[in-house]
Structures are given as C-alpha cells and as structure tokens.
Amino acid sequence: RAGIARVVVGVLDPFPAMQGRSVEALRAAGIEVRLGVEEEAAARRILGFARAVAVGLPEVTAKAAISADGHIATATGESQWITGPQARQHGHVLRARHDAILVGIGTALADDPRLNTRLPPGVLPGPQISRDPVPVVLDTHLRLPGTAQLLQGPGAVVICGPEAPQRELQAEIVRVPRLPGGGVDPVAALAALSERGLHRVLVEGGGRIHRTLLDAALVDNLELYLAPIVLPGGRPWVAGPPVEALEQGFGMELVETERLGPDVRLSFRLVHGTAPDPLSTLRSTPPTR
C-alpha cells in the first residue's frame, strides 16, 4: 500500500523464530526482495547477536595501547599515557560501541580503572551508542576492593571461581568453573555475559587475560593503538609462556589502519586456522532477486 516495490537484505535474522519469515511475507505481497547485498559487512555488524543465538557466546574484541616494541607499561607498571589524546578518545568511541568492557583482576588492582565512556558532546553519531558499557572483571578469588572505581556506577559484573569467598559488592557476582590449576574458564565467563545480553565484549587486558582468550580462540578482532616509543623490558600486551614455532602463533589479517595524531591504530581480524568461520552460518546463497 505504501508503494514499496523492492527491498534489499544483507543477511537473514539468525533468530530461529524469525529467520526468513519477513522475506517470505514480502515476497508473498509481490515485493521484490534481493538477499545478500553487502552480506559480509552486514554479517559482521550483527556477529555478536548471531553468535549469541547460535552458540551462546559474544563477539570479542581485544584492545591494547602499546609501545612500538609491544609493551603496555614499563617494567615498573607505568602506563599513563603511552598514547596521545586522539588515540585515547578513539578508544572511548570503541568502548561506546560495545556492550561490556572486560579486564582481569590484575589490571583492576593496578590501575583502578573506571571503564566508562568519557567523550565530549558531538563525537558519537547518535544517542543509540552514547552510553557506558557494563564493566566486567575476571576475578578468580574475588579480591576486588569495594572501593574500586568501576563499582561506583550501576551494573558491574564480577566473575569469580566457585570457591571464592562470600562477599558483598556493588556488582553482580557470577561464579563459573575454573580451568584446571588456573583462572576462571573463559568460555563459561563469556557465556555468562552473553546470557545477560552482552553480545559485544571489549577486552582491555591485561596480558594474561589477552593470552587466555587467544589460546582459547575466543578473540575475533584486535585493536592496537601503537605509540612512537620503545620501552625495553616493559610489560607485554600478551603474557604467558613463549611459543616455540611460528605455527603456534596467532594469525591475523590487517583490515584497517588510521593515523591518530602521533599514534597509529591497527585493526586486525583473528585467523583461527581450522576453526569454523564465525560468519558461515550467516552467509546466504549468492544474491537472489
């Protein structure tokens, strides 16, 4: 009745109760529907939701501000500020585009971050993303102090192991299984976030958390803010034991670079080898008319 003659669709809604029904209804009404237009871009835009529907896990982006030799801090832990104001502002835009920001307890204790979005008016292109993400801490033994800055706002989530002490915090405390001899199970932790509607998670370290998620092939994207400084002997953005062969490294595809004042943003997608393509369930057959 409105006179719409043609509709173009990037990908179908992955939610089983809705998948394809709208397209069928449009076609039944005599409207031309073209499916698969800009499919790759559309699929990546909804990857977090699609993965939550398919396997109960969120999309994960790791982020670090690093020196030219790959360090997030000096040997003594000094890190403010490795990058300049333009890179830091871009990092806050990145925060605003995610549902949650995740850090490990080491970062929470050392830096006492607020994990909120601090941007001047007009930077974000609309109120739909001008909000603070949910702060999340992986804290196996529940050591986070009640005075932590990230607890001062509503909605924080602290994920701990099943045997952590009983404590009262201004946060939702979620207990998940632990890895044998290690910290909390990263798959269980991310599944808990997905269950709470947090489908796009930004991981801001530290090095142990980044390594744990990389080892488990749970990182989809990597955002590195590279500063023109060298910090010999500093703390690396990826911690843990060394790899002995090139094939044990974590493959990445560079998708974008950007100059931010004196710094450079490098945007990567992780390549997980034989792991299933995270977008395969969203891709349609070739575009149809």
Side-chain angles (χ1 to χ4, degrees):
R1 288 194 300 270
I4 295 172
R6 183 168 69 103
V7 173
V8 295
V9 180
V11 290
L12 295 177
D13 187 340
F15 190 62
M18 297 300 297
Q19 192 173 47
R21 291 190 177 186
S22 298
V23 171
E24 293 172 3
L26 289 168
R27 286 175 172 161
I31 296 174
E32 176 191 352
V33 178
R34 187 176 179 188
L35 179 62
V37 176
E38 292 289 346
E39 184 178 47
E40 183 80 9
R44 289 203 173 274
R45 181 62 62 91
I46 67 164
L47 177 57
F49 172 69
R51 180 172 290 146
V53 169
V55 296
L57 292 173
E59 178 185 10
V60 175
T61 297
K63 173 224 170 185
I66 63 173
S67 63
D69 53 346
H71 296 131
I72 56 175
T74 66
T76 60
E78 183 182 356
S79 63
Q80 296 182 355
W81 297 102
I82 288 178
T83 53
Q86 289 172 266
R88 296 200 299 275
Q89 177 171 292
H90 191 282
H92 281 272
V93 171
L94 191 65
R95 284 182 174 185
R97 291 175 174 160
H98 285 77
D99 301 321
I101 305 179
L102 184 151
V103 298
I105 183 60
T107 297
L109 294 176
D111 298 341
D112 192 20
R114 284 180 279 177
L115 299 185
N116 59 1
T117 301
R118 301 184 294 279
L119 289 169
V123 172
L124 296 175
Q128 70 276 9
I129 62 170
S130 58
R131 53 167 174 71
D132 286 334
V134 173
V136 180
V137 182
L138 297 190
D139 183 5
T140 304
H141 303 292
L142 207 54
R143 295 184 291 147
L144 187 70
T147 56
Q149 291 194 95
L150 64 89
L151 298 177
Q152 304 315 304
V157 176
V158 180
I159 301 178
C160 64
E163 76 288 355
Q166 297 294 329
R167 291 185 56 202
E168 293 290 333
L169 288 176
Q170 190 175 318
E172 180 183 7
I173 298 175
V174 180
R175 297 176 186 270
V176 300
R178 291 179 59 183
L179 295 174
V184 298
D185 184 328
V187 174
L190 291 177
L193 298 182
S194 181
E195 290 172 0
R196 287 155 175 79
L198 306 175
H199 297 155
R200 302 189 71 224
V201 177
L202 181 65
V203 181
E204 295 199 357
R208 289 180 59 189
I209 297 298
H210 283 146
R211 179 61 181 275
T212 296
L213 295 174
L214 286 168
D215 281 341
L218 293 170
V219 178
D220 298 293
N221 315 296
L222 172 63
E223 295 284 336
L224 291 179
Y225 297 88
L226 183 67
I229 188 173
V230 173
L231 301 174
R235 299 182 181 181
W237 76 270
V238 180
V243 299
E244 298 180 356
L246 288 175
E247 63 183 15
Q248 296 174 318
F250 305 102
M252 301 182 295
E253 172 191 1
L254 180 64
V255 294
E256 188 177 3
T257 62
E258 181 180 6
R259 182 77 178 263
L260 297 169
D263 308 311
V264 177
R265 179 178 72 92
L266 302 174
S267 181
F268 298 91
R269 291 187 189 127
L270 272 290
V271 178
H272 295 305
T274 59
D277 180 350
L279 302 179
S280 60
T281 57
L282 290 175
R283 292 193 178 95
S284 67
T285 56
T288 56
R289 295 186 182 277

